[in-house]
């Protein structure tokens, strides 16, 4: 199963959410928009990472509109400040200082340029970039992605989270593949990356985030599985062991834990485990009713989702995980 296809299925399932549910979370998300456009985390100004989650969440509840997208792009792709000296060239913001996750956010936001005009709000997810917002900086998305990935590619075939990071990350390697897929670039050195990932599979079947880490985790395991789904197929040696590991991470709460040493489930790990198990064609290993109850327990009455039982506030990132998890579990009631 392909990662992109699965995300399309999530969107299709979300279109069937009850109207009161969509209204509640739509109102929360609209109220969370920054006054200047875009979305923030729990503190700070709008950034690409949270804005991508905010726009995607609005799309899942059918409340994404062109003005919201335009405000976000105007904030993230601010016009370049021209020098008083007309002979000096215009230099775009130094996107080379971003993290890989932030660059993914920028590219994902660019995908919302198309898809919000002349279509019903409930289907406002585009399938192509359309007008490339990177052109505001005199660049194309492909140019930016190609150069940035050259800065974070490491000798083992994996990718680092930031140009200054010396070590490849399993999660960042998935993000790099996602970027390449989004802008139409081929995966670079897939055979080398495959070996790097195989070296990170631990005895329990899960994957570690770092080369020297002994403990596997739900999120790096999901990242490895998603990378292979985009690379053309998940090896048989990975499939069964990874699925068994992820199934063991479902707790008595119904959600999934980040790793075996954590007794409390969280929404991020629940979402990534659900995605990975679907990609592994092992969704039947999930106690779906229990998982749905867990996700629903993190929904706030005023809209939005919190990270775990210990959390007290919602944010747009975890709201996306909550909405998408319920869409993945759509064979059960959304109430």
């Amino acid at each position: 199963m392909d990662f992109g296809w699965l995300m399309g299925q999530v969107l299709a399932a979300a279109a069937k959410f009850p109207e009161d549910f969509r209204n509640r979370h739509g109102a929360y998300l609209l109220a969370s928009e920054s006054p200047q456009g875009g979305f923030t985390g729990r503190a700070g100004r709008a950034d690409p990472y949270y804005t991508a989650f905010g726009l995607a969440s609005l799309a899942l509840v059918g409340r994404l509109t062109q003005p919201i997208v335009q405000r976000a792009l105007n904030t993230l792709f601010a016009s370049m400040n021209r020098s008083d000296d007309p002979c000096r060239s215009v230099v775009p913001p130094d996107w080379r200082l971003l993290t890989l996750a932030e660059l993914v956010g920028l590219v994902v936001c660019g995908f919302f340029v198309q898809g919000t005009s002349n279509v019903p709000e409930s289907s406002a997810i585009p399938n192509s970039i359309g007008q490339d917002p990177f052109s505001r900086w005199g660049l194309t998305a492909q140019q930016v992605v190609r150069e940035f990935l050259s800065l974070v590619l490491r000798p083992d075939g994996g990718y680092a989270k930031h140009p200054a990071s010396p070590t490849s990350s399993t999660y960042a390697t998935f993000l790099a593949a996602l970027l390449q897929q989004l802008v139409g670039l081929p995966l670079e050195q897939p055979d080398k990356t495959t070996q790097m990932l195989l070296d990170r599979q631990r005895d329990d079947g899960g994957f570690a985030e770092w080369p020297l880490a002994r403990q596997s985790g739900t999120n790096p395991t999901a990242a490895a599985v998603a990378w292979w789904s985009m690379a053309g197929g998940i090896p048989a040696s990975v499939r069964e062991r990874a699925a068994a590991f992820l199934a063991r991470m479902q707790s008595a709460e119904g959600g999934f834990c980040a790793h075996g040493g954590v007794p409390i489930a969280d929404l991020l790990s629940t979402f990534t485990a659900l995605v990975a198990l679907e990609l592994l064609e092992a969704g039947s290993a999930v106690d779906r009713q229990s998982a749905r109850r867990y996700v629903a327990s993190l929904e706030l009455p005023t809209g939005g989702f919190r990270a775990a039982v210990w959390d007290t506030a919602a944010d747009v990132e975890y709201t996306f995980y909550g909405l998408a998890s319920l869409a993945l579990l759509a064979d059960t009631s959304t109430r």
Side-chain angles (χ1 to χ4, degrees):
M1 185 182 295
D2 177 75
F3 179 78
W5 181 87
L6 180 59
M7 291 300 100
Q9 293 299 106
V10 167
L11 177 65
K16 299 178 182 178
F17 284 151
E19 192 65 17
D20 62 337
F21 179 87
R22 290 150 63 92
N23 286 338
R24 180 164 65 253
H25 293 290
Y28 160 75
L29 290 162
L30 292 172
S32 300
E33 185 187 12
S34 171
Q36 294 77 32
F39 291 82
T40 70
R42 302 196 189 195
R45 62 182 181 180
D47 65 38
Y49 181 80
Y50 287 104
T51 297
F53 281 113
L55 297 181
S57 297
L58 282 169
L60 288 177
V61 295
R63 300 296 182 268
L64 186 62
T65 64
Q66 269 195 309
I68 294 171
V69 174
Q70 195 61 53
R71 286 194 295 271
L73 294 179
N74 287 343
T75 296
L76 299 180
F77 294 89
S79 299
M80 296 175 288
N81 295 321
R82 298 186 177 274
S83 169
D84 292 336
D85 182 353
C87 296
R88 292 185 62 184
S89 61
V90 177
V91 180
D94 197 349
W95 43 266
R96 299 167 190 81
L97 299 179
L98 295 173
T99 65
L100 187 51
E102 288 171 330
L103 182 57
V104 170
L106 277 183
V107 172
V108 167
C109 291
F111 265 67
F112 291 98
V113 174
Q114 258 187 330
T116 53
S117 60
N118 302 318
V119 295
E121 286 189 333
S122 61
S123 59
I125 281 271
N127 54 22
S128 63
I129 291 179
Q131 177 190 350
D132 189 344
F134 286 91
S135 64
R136 301 185 185 193
W137 297 344
L139 300 163
T140 68
Q142 273 200 355
Q143 287 175 321
V144 171
V145 168
R146 186 181 287 111
E147 181 175 342
F148 190 90
L149 291 185
S150 73
L151 300 176
V152 293
L153 178 62
R154 296 297 173 256
D156 62 1
Y159 292 81
K161 294 181 178 181
H162 186 276
S165 302
T167 307
S168 67
S169 146
T170 302
Y171 169 63
T173 300
F174 152 68
L175 290 181
L178 179 60
L179 271 178
Q180 289 164 323
Q181 185 177 78
L182 288 172
V183 302
L185 292 173
L187 294 181
E188 195 165 347
Q189 303 179 350
D191 292 342
K192 200 170 188 179
T193 306
T194 289
Q195 187 57 55
M196 180 276 290
L197 292 173
L198 289 174
D199 290 342
R200 295 191 186 183
Q201 189 170 30
R202 302 300 181 241
D203 292 341
D204 59 7
F207 287 77
E209 172 69 357
W210 308 105
L212 298 181
R214 295 183 178 182
Q215 186 169 55
S216 56
T218 297
N219 298 312
T221 300
V225 168
W227 183 88
W228 266 303
S229 80
M230 291 184 284
I234 303 167
S237 60
V238 168
R239 185 179 297 274
E240 290 188 8
R241 295 176 62 215
F245 166 78
L246 290 168
R248 290 195 299 272
M249 292 300 102
Q250 188 169 19
S251 72
E253 298 171 87
F256 287 74
C257 299
H259 55 76
V262 175
I264 299 176
D266 68 88
L267 190 49
L268 168 59
S269 299
T270 299
F271 168 67
T272 61
L274 291 172
V275 168
L277 285 165
E278 289 296 326
L279 293 174
L280 291 164
E281 300 179 356
S284 61
V286 179
D287 181 342
R288 301 175 78 82
Q289 291 284 357
S290 177
R292 193 216 60 81
R293 285 193 297 269
Y294 171 75
V295 175
S297 75
L298 301 179
E299 180 190 359
L300 295 185
T302 53
F305 287 78
R306 54 198 177 118
V309 294
W310 45 259
D311 200 4
T312 59
D315 68 28
V316 296
E317 178 183 5
Y318 283 95
T319 296
F320 172 81
Y321 299 145
L323 295 170
S325 294
L326 289 177
L328 285 164
L329 297 163
D331 59 324
T332 61
S333 169
T334 57
R335 291 181 183 273

